[in-house]
Amino acid sequence: MKLRYLNDSVLRDPTQLVEIHELEFVLSQIPEMTKIMNDEEGTGLAANQVGISKRFFIMKDNNQVKLIINPEIIELGPLTPFMEGCLSIPGTSAETQRAQRIKLKYRDERFSEIETEYNGLSAVAIQHEVDHLDGKLYIDQLPPMRKLLVVDKHRKFIKQARRKR
Protein backbone atom coordinates (compact mmCIF):
# COMPACT_ATOMS: atom_id res chain seq x y z
CA MET A 1 0.00 0.00 0.00
CA LYS A 2 1.36 3.41 -0.94
CA LEU A 3 0.15 6.97 -1.10
CA ARG A 4 -1.04 8.03 -4.56
CA TYR A 5 -0.17 11.44 -6.00
CA LEU A 6 -1.84 14.05 -8.18
CA ASN A 7 -1.78 12.42 -11.63
CA ASP A 8 -2.79 8.93 -10.47
CA SER A 9 -6.13 8.10 -12.15
CA VAL A 10 -7.46 6.33 -9.02
CA LEU A 11 -7.82 9.79 -7.44
CA ARG A 12 -10.19 10.91 -10.20
CA ASP A 13 -12.50 7.89 -10.31
CA PRO A 14 -15.51 7.99 -7.96
CA THR A 15 -15.33 5.15 -5.43
CA GLN A 16 -17.80 2.30 -5.00
CA LEU A 17 -20.00 1.86 -1.93
CA VAL A 18 -18.74 -0.59 0.68
CA GLU A 19 -21.04 -3.60 1.10
CA ILE A 20 -21.42 -5.31 4.47
CA HIS A 21 -19.57 -8.43 3.23
CA GLU A 22 -16.53 -6.18 2.56
CA LEU A 23 -16.32 -4.89 6.13
CA GLU A 24 -13.58 -7.34 7.17
CA PHE A 25 -11.44 -6.20 4.21
CA VAL A 26 -11.99 -2.52 5.10
CA LEU A 27 -11.07 -3.13 8.74
CA SER A 28 -7.90 -4.97 7.68
CA GLN A 29 -6.72 -1.86 5.79
CA ILE A 30 -6.98 0.55 8.73
CA PRO A 31 -3.61 -0.16 10.45
CA GLU A 32 -1.55 0.47 7.31
CA MET A 33 -3.68 3.48 6.31
CA THR A 34 -3.23 4.89 9.83
CA LYS A 35 0.54 4.47 9.58
CA ILE A 36 0.62 6.32 6.24
CA MET A 37 -1.62 9.11 7.57
CA ASN A 38 0.55 9.52 10.68
CA ASP A 39 3.87 9.26 8.81
CA GLU A 40 2.71 12.01 6.43
CA GLU A 41 1.26 14.07 9.33
CA GLY A 42 -2.23 14.08 7.83
CA THR A 43 -5.62 14.66 9.39
CA GLY A 44 -7.45 12.17 7.17
CA LEU A 45 -6.87 9.63 4.43
CA ALA A 46 -9.36 8.38 1.83
CA ALA A 47 -9.20 4.79 0.56
CA ASN A 48 -8.53 5.87 -3.02
CA GLN A 49 -5.49 7.85 -1.85
CA VAL A 50 -3.88 4.45 -1.26
CA GLY A 51 -5.33 2.83 -4.38
CA ILE A 52 -8.51 1.29 -2.94
CA SER A 53 -11.58 2.35 -4.95
CA LYS A 54 -14.03 1.91 -2.09
CA ARG A 55 -16.07 4.59 -0.28
CA PHE A 56 -14.37 4.89 3.12
CA PHE A 57 -11.81 7.03 4.86
CA ILE A 58 -10.08 7.46 8.20
CA MET A 59 -9.57 10.66 10.14
CA LYS A 60 -8.14 11.83 13.41
CA ASP A 61 -10.89 12.60 15.90
CA ASN A 62 -9.92 13.51 19.49
CA ASN A 63 -6.55 11.72 19.22
CA GLN A 64 -8.19 8.55 17.90
CA VAL A 65 -8.57 7.22 14.38
CA LYS A 66 -12.18 7.18 13.22
CA LEU A 67 -13.40 5.03 10.33
CA ILE A 68 -16.11 6.56 8.13
CA ILE A 69 -17.80 4.19 5.65
CA ASN A 70 -20.14 5.28 2.84
CA PRO A 71 -20.30 8.92 3.97
CA GLU A 72 -23.02 11.24 2.77
CA ILE A 73 -23.02 14.93 3.70
CA ILE A 74 -26.66 15.77 4.26
CA GLU A 75 -26.30 19.36 5.44
CA LEU A 76 -23.64 22.07 5.00
CA GLY A 77 -23.28 25.24 7.02
CA PRO A 78 -22.17 28.51 5.40
CA LEU A 79 -18.90 28.41 3.46
CA THR A 80 -15.86 30.23 4.81
CA PRO A 81 -12.26 30.55 3.59
CA PHE A 82 -9.93 27.74 4.68
CA MET A 83 -6.25 27.12 3.90
CA GLU A 84 -6.23 23.56 2.60
CA GLY A 85 -3.56 21.04 1.70
CA CYS A 86 -3.57 17.37 0.68
CA LEU A 87 -1.33 14.35 1.25
CA SER A 88 -1.73 13.50 -2.45
CA ILE A 89 -0.54 16.99 -3.48
CA PRO A 90 2.36 17.58 -1.07
CA GLY A 91 4.42 20.75 -0.99
CA THR A 92 1.57 23.19 -1.47
CA SER A 93 -1.72 24.52 -0.13
CA ALA A 94 -4.35 27.02 -1.21
CA GLU A 95 -7.35 28.86 0.14
CA THR A 96 -10.64 27.08 -0.53
CA GLN A 97 -14.21 27.49 0.66
CA ARG A 98 -15.44 24.96 3.21
CA ALA A 99 -18.32 24.75 5.66
CA GLN A 100 -17.32 24.87 9.32
CA ARG A 101 -20.39 22.81 10.22
CA ILE A 102 -21.82 19.75 8.50
CA LYS A 103 -24.28 16.97 9.17
CA LEU A 104 -23.02 13.56 8.08
CA LYS A 105 -24.67 10.18 7.57
CA TYR A 106 -22.28 7.20 7.43
CA ARG A 107 -21.60 3.69 8.63
CA ASP A 108 -19.14 2.94 11.42
CA GLU A 109 -16.72 0.06 12.04
CA ARG A 110 -19.68 -2.22 12.95
CA PHE A 111 -21.55 -1.08 9.79
CA SER A 112 -24.14 0.65 11.98
CA GLU A 113 -25.71 3.73 10.41
CA ILE A 114 -24.82 6.98 12.19
CA GLU A 115 -26.04 10.53 11.64
CA THR A 116 -24.14 13.28 13.45
CA GLU A 117 -22.89 16.84 13.22
CA TYR A 118 -19.25 17.90 12.93
CA ASN A 119 -17.73 21.33 13.40
CA GLY A 120 -14.43 23.10 12.73
CA LEU A 121 -11.44 21.14 11.43
CA SER A 122 -13.34 17.84 11.58
CA ALA A 123 -16.08 19.25 9.32
CA VAL A 124 -13.47 20.55 6.86
CA ALA A 125 -11.53 17.26 6.88
CA ILE A 126 -14.71 15.29 6.18
CA GLN A 127 -15.59 17.50 3.19
CA HIS A 128 -12.04 17.06 1.86
CA GLU A 129 -12.17 13.25 2.20
CA VAL A 130 -15.69 12.96 0.75
CA ASP A 131 -14.45 14.98 -2.24
CA HIS A 132 -11.67 12.40 -2.65
CA LEU A 133 -14.20 9.58 -2.63
CA ASP A 134 -16.14 11.44 -5.34
CA GLY A 135 -13.01 11.76 -7.51
CA LYS A 136 -12.43 15.45 -6.70
CA LEU A 137 -9.39 17.26 -5.34
CA TYR A 138 -9.34 20.53 -3.42
CA ILE A 139 -7.53 22.20 -6.33
CA ASP A 140 -10.65 21.69 -8.45
CA GLN A 141 -12.22 24.59 -6.49
CA LEU A 142 -9.48 27.00 -7.54
CA PRO A 143 -9.58 29.48 -10.43
CA PRO A 144 -7.58 28.15 -13.44
CA MET A 145 -4.45 30.31 -12.93
CA ARG A 146 -4.29 29.61 -9.18
CA LYS A 147 -4.70 25.89 -9.89
CA LEU A 148 -1.79 25.99 -12.37
CA LEU A 149 0.41 27.73 -9.80
CA VAL A 150 -0.44 25.17 -7.12
CA VAL A 151 0.20 22.22 -9.46
CA ASP A 152 3.50 23.77 -10.57
CA LYS A 153 4.59 24.25 -6.93
CA HIS A 154 3.68 20.61 -6.22
CA ARG A 155 5.72 19.36 -9.20
CA LYS A 156 8.75 21.37 -8.06
CA PHE A 157 8.35 19.94 -4.56
CA ILE A 158 8.27 16.37 -5.92
CA LYS A 159 11.34 17.01 -8.11
CA GLN A 160 13.22 18.43 -5.12
CA ALA A 161 12.19 15.47 -2.94
CA ARG A 162 13.48 13.02 -5.57
CA ARG A 163 16.84 14.80 -5.68
CA LYS A 164 17.22 14.47 -1.92
CA ARG A 165 16.92 10.66 -2.05
Side-chain angles (χ1 to χ4, degrees), residues 6-22:
L6 183 58
N7 289 324
D8 194 313
S9 63
V10 73
L11 295 173
R12 293 305 195 166
D13 294 331
T15 56
Q16 302 299 310
L17 288 173
V18 174
E19 303 291 335
I20 193 162
H21 68 273
E22 297 170 305

Side-chain angles (χ1 to χ4, degrees), residues 12-155:
R12 293 305 195 166
D13 294 331
T15 56
Q16 302 299 310
L17 288 173
V18 174
E19 303 291 335
I20 193 162
H21 68 273
E22 297 170 305
L23 184 58
E24 191 174 318
F25 167 76
V26 169
L27 294 172
S28 75
Q29 303 307 301
I30 304 312
E32 196 167 353
M33 286 178 69
T34 300
K35 181 180 181 339
I36 290 169
M37 179 178 70
N38 289 335
D39 288 352
E40 299 295 327
E41 300 177 2
T43 303
L45 186 66
N48 57 341
Q49 285 183 277
V50 292
I52 302 167
S53 293
K54 286 299 195 175
R55 195 166 180 82
F56 72 95
F57 67 86
I58 59 171
M59 64 179 264
K60 291 179 183 172
D61 187 36
N62 296 323
N63 294 325
Q64 294 194 2
V65 174
K66 184 174 194 78
L67 171 61
I68 307 284
I69 301 171
N70 298 339
E72 179 186 347
I73 297 172
I74 54 177
E75 188 178 304
L76 280 174
L79 298 178
T80 60
F82 186 83
M83 195 58 135
E84 193 163 346
C86 179
L87 298 181
S88 291
I89 313 172
T92 189
S93 59
E95 188 175 280
T96 61
Q97 296 286 313
R98 295 290 187 185
Q100 297 292 311
R101 182 190 59 74
I102 64 166
K103 190 178 282 185
L104 184 73
K105 185 165 73 172
Y106 68 97
R107 294 196 176 270
D108 66 10
E109 69 280 351
R110 292 181 300 282
F111 217 70
S112 299
E113 192 171 280
I114 308 286
E115 190 174 303
T116 191
E117 194 171 289
Y118 286 91
N119 296 288
L121 183 58
S122 292
V124 171
I126 289 167
Q127 291 164 80
H128 180 100
E129 301 309 331
V130 168
D131 276 356
H132 271 301
L133 299 176
D134 292 339
K136 300 175 193 166
L137 300 172
Y138 83 92
I139 59 173
D140 296 340
Q141 290 188 34
L142 304 177
M145 280 306 294
R146 181 74 180 121
K147 183 176 180 177
L148 283 173
L149 291 171
V150 169
V151 169
D152 186 54
K153 188 174 179 185
H154 162 69
R155 286 188 179 125

Side-chain angles (χ1 to χ4, degrees), residues 157-165:
F157 175 84
I158 293 294
K159 246 185 222 179
Q160 190 71 18
R162 284 186 185 132
R163 281 191 208 130
K164 289 181 180 177
R165 282 193 228 163

